[in-house]
Amino acid sequence: MDHEADAHRTDLMTITRFVLNEQSKHPESRGDFSILLSHIVLGCKFVCSAVNKAGLAKLIGLAGETNVQCILVSEEDEEAIFVEPSKRGKYCVVFDPLDGSSNIDCGVSIGTIFGIYMMKDSHEPTLDDVLQPGNNMLAAGYCMYGSSCTLVLSTGSGVNGFTLDPSLGEFILTHPDIKIPKKGKIYSVNEGNAKNWDGPTAKYVEKCKFPKDGSSPKSLRYIGSMVADVHRTLLYGGIFMYPRDKKSPNGKLRVLYEVFPMSFLMEQAGGQSFTGKQRALDLVPKKIHERSPIFLGSYDDVEEIKALFYAAEEKKE
Ligand code: AFP
């Protein structure tokens, strides 16, 4: 990014312009959705500038001030936050304000993950308005705080990546229409849990390391920060997995604000996302902090592990 030249350019596609362009495709829209997105973007800028300090609190505070949403579910709060009636709108926001936080002190990339639902209908909001299948999600994204601050967003018509230009204080479109490669050369999983894995997962990782079809072994890349691992997977291809194991029979990652947003983005980019039993977005969570195993990434790579799980299922029958 040539900051000098950019400073004089006026045709830059900022995320604000991008969202307003998207809004113009919906003449019926009142702009509430764009307001909500702009507040989430502002929140991410706060966190980006204050990741090690007050950023977290601001994100939650900000989210409560916009009169466009009614329920917030945050990884940081045990209970859902119901916005007071006078400030209530029609959207539900699920988010992990600082994913990968155990990596902060060693400077590894961390991120904010978010997903947006519409209330089921205009009644007194209840948890049912957020315990919706991932298919009902209207938009999802993440903001990665690393060597650069990158926000990846989908509002249901493709995936676009924006990089924060600190000199402008604006997110600029740098990765238009992201499409994940159909097949990748990387697998990403915490192999420290290998001894507790189920059969299909162990078999798949074995295939990645020792392919019998003459193809080259895949490389292992695992950061331990989902936003960073998924961002690499989206751009380079391959597969990211957090399988179930004997210690965590439902895996570790949370359905509403980790599995669903990342699965929504992956499918919008041409990849897929699987739980070991079903398409991840078909899940209907029963609790706001519910966990699920997850295998997401390049279409062909996820197809391979689906085949192993289905074969294991058939053997059981
Ligand atoms: P933290 O937010 O506690 O750092 O957890 C990060 C995370 O939720 C996700 O970002 C990683 O993919 C996953 O957990 C890493 O888990 P393991 O440390 O068990 O591999």
Side-chain angles (χ1 to χ4, degrees):
M1 187 178 283
D2 173 351
H3 298 309
E4 192 47 42
D6 287 346
H8 307 297
R9 285 182 54 200
T10 55
D11 63 341
L12 286 174
M13 179 52 77
T14 65
I15 195 166
T16 313
R17 281 179 71 185
F18 181 86
V19 169
L20 290 175
N21 282 356
E22 290 297 301
Q23 182 190 317
S24 64
K25 295 174 189 162
H26 306 275
E28 77 292 352
S29 155
R30 291 182 329 163
D32 290 357
F33 190 63
S34 305
I35 293 169
L36 176 57
L37 283 175
S38 65
H39 271 271
I40 290 174
V41 168
L42 184 58
C44 291
K45 287 180 186 172
F46 262 112
V47 177
C48 184
S49 67
V51 143
N52 286 333
K53 293 182 252 87
L56 185 55
K58 283 213 179 285
L59 189 68
I60 292 174
L62 261 173
E65 290 162 7
T66 56
N67 296 2
V68 289
Q69 74 268 342
C70 57
I71 306 177
L72 303 165
V73 169
S74 164
E75 195 260 355
E76 299 291 332
D77 292 275
E78 205 39 51
E79 304 303 325
I81 302 161
F82 287 81
V83 175
E84 60 192 86
S86 65
K87 286 189 173 177
R88 207 170 275 165
K90 58 186 176 194
Y91 294 106
C92 308
V93 182
V94 292
F95 61 106
D96 184 349
L98 214 52
D99 182 68
S101 49
S102 61
N103 291 308
I104 286 182
D105 298 334
C106 61
V108 160
S109 299
I110 54 178
T112 298
I113 309 173
F114 61 90
I116 300 173
Y117 285 106
M118 177 82 86
M119 272 179 76
K120 281 188 174 173
D121 54 38
S122 57
H123 64 279
E124 193 57 26
T126 67
L127 278 185
D128 285 353
D129 290 302
V130 277
L131 297 176
Q132 299 188 46
N135 297 315
N136 294 1
M137 221 167 229
L138 297 176
Y142 59 78
C143 190
M144 185 174 72
Y145 314 110
S147 51
S148 64
C149 179
T150 305
L151 197 152
V152 172
L153 173 70
S154 177
T155 55
S157 49
V159 179
N160 293 278
F162 303 82
T163 303
L164 184 63
D165 180 333
S167 66
L168 296 174
E170 260 291 7
F171 281 101
I172 310 296
L173 181 63
T174 48
H175 301 73
D177 199 21
I178 298 172
K179 288 284 176 252
I180 185 172
K182 200 155 180 306
K183 192 169 178 51
K185 298 187 176 75
I186 294 172
Y187 73 102
S188 182
V189 66
N190 181 345
E191 291 221 34
N193 300 326
K195 75 177 173 55
N196 295 316
W197 281 343
D198 53 29
T201 305
K203 245 197 209 135
Y204 179 74
V205 172
E206 187 71 13
K207 267 181 86 175
C208 291
K209 292 181 186 179
F210 310 102
K212 296 199 176 59
D213 60 0
S215 61
S216 334
K218 286 185 187 304
S219 300
L220 171 64
R221 294 283 182 278
Y222 189 71
I223 299 166
S225 174
M226 187 186 195
V227 169
D229 282 313
V230 169
H231 188 63
R232 183 202 55 248
T233 305
L234 202 55
L235 298 185
Y236 296 172
I239 186 166
F240 167 81
M241 307 174 264
Y242 207 105
R244 62 192 292 277
D245 60 44
K246 293 193 189 82
K247 272 188 318 161
S248 4
N250 295 319
K252 175 184 180 181
L253 302 178
R254 312 303 180 101
V255 172
L256 271 182
Y257 43 80
E258 290 177 313
V259 170
F260 278 169
M262 295 307 200
S263 302
F264 185 94
L265 290 166
M266 211 38 86
E267 288 200 4
Q268 285 286 321
Q272 56 175 321
S273 181
F274 178 61
T275 66
K277 287 198 178 76
Q278 66 185 108
R279 176 174 167 260
L281 291 176
D282 293 338
L283 276 172
V284 183
K286 296 179 190 53
K287 292 179 286 151
I288 60 171
H289 298 298
E290 191 169 304
R291 302 172 192 268
S292 169
I294 185 74
F295 306 86
L296 56 77
S298 295
Y299 197 90
D300 292 358
D301 293 318
V302 179
E303 269 308 291
E304 268 187 53
I305 198 160
K306 281 167 71 176
L308 290 170
F309 273 97
Y310 292 149
E313 215 43 51
E314 267 160 36
K315 263 213 201 101
K316 277 194 210 142
E317 283 154 12

